[in-house]
């Protein structure tokens, strides 16, 4: 059998199916990855991405179909055979040894256990230095890994894979914990890997980064490959459509009525160590974004507006009436709602029912002489579940049983039931799949159209650009400028302004 070495894929999946009892996690998937190629694997939560990776590295055996390395079928693929064929995964926890040095971690899998400790250390250092030089990464070889920031730990994990002669590096959502600048650095490194002949399988939903480094996009839905093609042929809308199977494009926000009355005013708000002299105003029907990197003070500001963090100075007024600072109950009573970034620890009672979660803080309205009217509570919950199209079996099910997108809607439903005038959303679509994300954006637009003022805090720039009338840029605790949303500024312009 003649095989052209030029076109022989590094790895091939041939109609790979993986079943778990009644669930088909992968459904007849074909895939080729060539040396020096970056392939993006996209798909909603539960579409089969992690399963595909597990099959590829021998952690799971396919129920049908086969895996080939360099054209050779792998009959009993194990993690060891995958590694020796040069297929390496960077796991999300990086699986590093925290109390060892950078050099030791990088040369760990490649190093032989021969010679004295000193000889081994010297060899480890030399080998690690070689890999770092090869990909142009500058790290202190003697630093203990536990002291490194996340982005540097990730670099160590990538370099360790290279030291072990990786030919294909698989990265499962590698950019989720990174700032914009760190993402740019990672994408640079991926470009260098490709130039060096290393292939990359990159799991991501973020179109901008995918387009920057990937040649090919492969989309999974319900375990099946539903789209495949050159990255340049995809745009946000078509990628989202392929992932969700429906049109979920959200347009720019509806223009603000010029006569819309001012609603919320913030004057000279300060909190030492977090933010300084923040002033802003929000009109009824307006969606105002606050863009900032991790550590810019954006979350403390959001909390301060809702009384969860006490400002040192300044004033917050709603419809002209001052709201006591540092008092969330007063803020809520005045009509401010707050949806936290971390709904799992701050926003929801996971073991409690959906209805209970929606009705929290509304028991006063549902009780008569101290007796809770469960029927009313259930009815109100059902109305909101329906209006926010939460896909839930019934309101008595525990919130824990819902997907991330539906949990977020439950938090929104809780606030809606209180009829707020201003809603502060911190990371409204963190951890939800793209379909739910677009629907949450739609809900935000509806709320604004009904006259609510909405403040969105997010590091997801496309999200801010798609949903906000105006965006405030926050850097080191200071609002440095204001840009208009919609088509006012591009994502990369905004990202430069955040980082510069
Ligand atoms: P993704 O990584 O795209 O979010 P996964 O590959 O993790 O998706 O999951 C695909 C489907 O397979 C999901 O429905 C998931 O619940 C199911 N699944 C994954 N692993 C297992 C398992 N070990 N047992 C049963 N079902 C599983
Ligand atoms: Mg996964």
């Amino acid at each position: 059998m003649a095989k052209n070495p030029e076109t022989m894929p590094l790895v091939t999946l041939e109609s790979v199916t993986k079943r778990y009892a009644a669930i088909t996690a992968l459904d007849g998937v074909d895939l080729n990855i060539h040396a020096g190629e970056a392939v993006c694997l996209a798909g909603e939560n539960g579409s089969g991405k992690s399963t595909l990776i597990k099959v590829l590295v021998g952690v799971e055996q396919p129920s049908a179909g086969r895996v080939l390395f360099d054209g050779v079928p792998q009959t009993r693929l194990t993690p060891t055979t995958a590694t020796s064929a040069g297929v390496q995964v960077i796991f999300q926890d990086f699986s590093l040894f925290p109390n060892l040095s950078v050099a030791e971690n990088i040369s760990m899998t490649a190093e032989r256990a021969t010679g004295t400790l000193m000889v081994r250390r010297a060899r480890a250092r030399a080998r690690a230095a070689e890999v770092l030089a090869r990909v142009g990464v500058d790290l202190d070889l003697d630093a203990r890994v536990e002291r490194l920031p996340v982005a540097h730990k990730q670099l160590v994990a990538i370099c360790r894979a290279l030291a072990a002669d990786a030919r294909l590096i698989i990265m499962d959502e590698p950019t989720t914990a990174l700032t914009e600048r760190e993402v740019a650095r990672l994408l640079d490194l991926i470009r260098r890997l490709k130039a060096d002949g290393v292939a990359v399988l990159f799991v991501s939903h973020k179109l901008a980064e995918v387009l920057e480094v990937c040649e090919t996009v492969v989309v999974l839905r319900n375990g099946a490959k539903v789209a495949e093609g050159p990255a340049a042929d995809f745009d946000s809308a078509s990628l989202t459509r392929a992932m969700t199977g429906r049109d979920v494009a959200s347009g720019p926000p509806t223009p603000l009525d010029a006569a819309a009355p001012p609603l919320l005013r913030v004057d000279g708000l300060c909190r030492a160590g977090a933010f300084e002299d923040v002033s802003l105003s929000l009109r009824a029907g307006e969606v105002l974004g606050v863009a900032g990197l991790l550590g810019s003070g954006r979350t403390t500001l959001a909390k301060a507006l809702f009384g969860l963090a006490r400002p040192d100075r300044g004033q917050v007024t709603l419809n002209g009436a001052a709201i006591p600072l540092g008092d969330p109950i007063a803020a809520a009573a005045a009509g401010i709602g707050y949806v936290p970034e971390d709904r799992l620890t701050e926003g929801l009672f996971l073991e409690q029912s959906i209805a209970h979660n929606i009705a929290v803080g509304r028991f006063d309205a549902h009780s008569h002489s101290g007796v809770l009217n469960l029927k009313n509570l259930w009815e109100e919950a059902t109305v909101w579940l329906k209006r926010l199209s939460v896909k839930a079996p019934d309101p008595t099910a525990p919130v824990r049983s819902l997907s991330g997108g539906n949990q977020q809607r439950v938090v929104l439903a809780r606030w809606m039931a209180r009829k707020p005038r201003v809603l502060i959303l911190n990371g409204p679509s963190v951890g939800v799949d793209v379909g739910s994300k677009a629907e949450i954006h739609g809900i935000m637009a509806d709320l604004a159209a009904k006259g609510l003022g909405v403040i969105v805090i997010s590091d997801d720039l496309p999200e801010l650009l798609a949903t906000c009338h105006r965006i405030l840029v926050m850097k080191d605790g200071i609002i440095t400028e204001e840009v208009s949303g919609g088509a006012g500024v591009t994502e990369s312009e905004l990202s430069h302004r955040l980082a510069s």
Side-chain angles (χ1 to χ4, degrees), residues 26 70 89 99 210 213 283 289 301 308 380 384 437 461 472:
L26 280 180
D70 297 308
V89 196
N99 51 356
V210 168
V213 291
R283 294 199 283 162
L301 174 62
L308 290 171
E380 180 162 326
W384 280 107
K437 183 171 173 171
L461 303 184
L472 304 175

Side-chain angles (χ1 to χ4, degrees), residues 9-287:
L10 210 57
V11 306
T12 300
L13 296 188
E14 268 180 15
S15 347
V16 168
T17 293
K18 177 67 191 177
R19 288 185 207 94
Y20 294 106
I23 295 166
T24 304
L26 280 180
D27 192 359
V29 173
D30 291 310
L31 177 70
N32 285 314
I33 305 175
H34 295 84
E37 182 186 25
V39 174
C40 165
L41 186 61
E44 290 195 285
N45 287 337
S47 60
K49 304 180 300 292
S50 296
T51 305
L52 186 151
I53 292 171
K54 287 180 196 154
V55 167
L56 200 50
V57 298
V59 171
E60 294 280 8
Q61 298 302 316
S63 315
R66 55 184 197 168
V67 177
L68 295 83
F69 291 157
D70 297 308
V72 180
Q74 305 292 308
T75 41
R76 277 206 48 82
L77 186 58
T78 66
T80 316
T81 43
T83 308
S84 48
V87 177
Q88 294 259 4
V89 196
I90 311 296
F91 290 104
Q92 281 186 316
D93 67 356
F94 309 133
S95 323
L96 296 169
F97 295 93
N99 51 356
L100 295 185
S101 71
V102 167
E104 287 163 326
N105 267 284
I106 290 177
S107 31
M108 182 61 67
T109 35
E111 191 49 55
R112 289 161 297 135
T114 57
T116 65
L117 184 63
M118 239 167 64
V119 168
R120 288 208 307 272
R121 282 219 173 116
R123 234 172 24 214
R125 264 185 130 267
R127 181 153 194 138
E130 193 186 307
V131 172
L132 290 178
R134 177 177 154 202
V135 289
V137 168
D138 190 19
L139 285 176
D140 176 5
L141 286 175
D142 300 313
R144 269 156 67 103
V145 157
E146 65 191 345
R147 303 230 173 88
L148 299 180
V150 178
H152 289 185
K153 288 190 177 129
Q154 184 181 55
L155 293 177
V156 172
I158 295 170
C159 290
R160 178 185 54 189
L162 291 171
D165 298 320
R167 299 162 68 213
L168 168 66
I169 297 185
I170 302 170
M171 301 188 203
D172 197 349
E173 309 249 14
T175 62
T176 35
L178 305 186
T179 62
E180 296 272 332
R181 209 184 296 182
E182 290 164 344
V183 169
R185 221 174 289 151
L186 176 68
L187 297 184
D188 250 3
L189 173 58
I190 292 177
R191 273 188 217 103
R192 261 170 292 169
L193 293 177
K194 285 163 51 182
D196 221 14
V198 177
V200 175
L201 181 63
F202 187 82
V203 177
S204 176
H205 305 144
K206 297 181 186 160
L207 188 77
E209 57 196 40
V210 168
L211 280 178
E212 259 192 74
V213 291
C214 294
E215 282 78 29
T216 312
V217 174
V218 170
V219 183
L220 295 181
R221 189 164 76 229
N222 298 328
K225 187 170 80 177
V226 292
E228 178 174 28
D233 289 358
F234 286 87
D235 60 17
S236 256
S238 62
L239 187 64
T240 302
R241 202 179 310 120
M243 286 197 275
T244 60
R246 51 188 200 275
D247 263 311
V248 283
S250 55
T254 35
L256 194 59
D257 179 358
L263 191 58
L264 183 81
R265 271 188 70 95
V266 174
D267 288 296
L269 212 60
C270 295
R271 184 179 150 97
F275 53 83
E276 240 176 89
D277 200 20
V278 170
S279 298
L280 57 88
S281 67
L282 177 73
R283 294 199 283 162
E286 187 174 30
V287 183

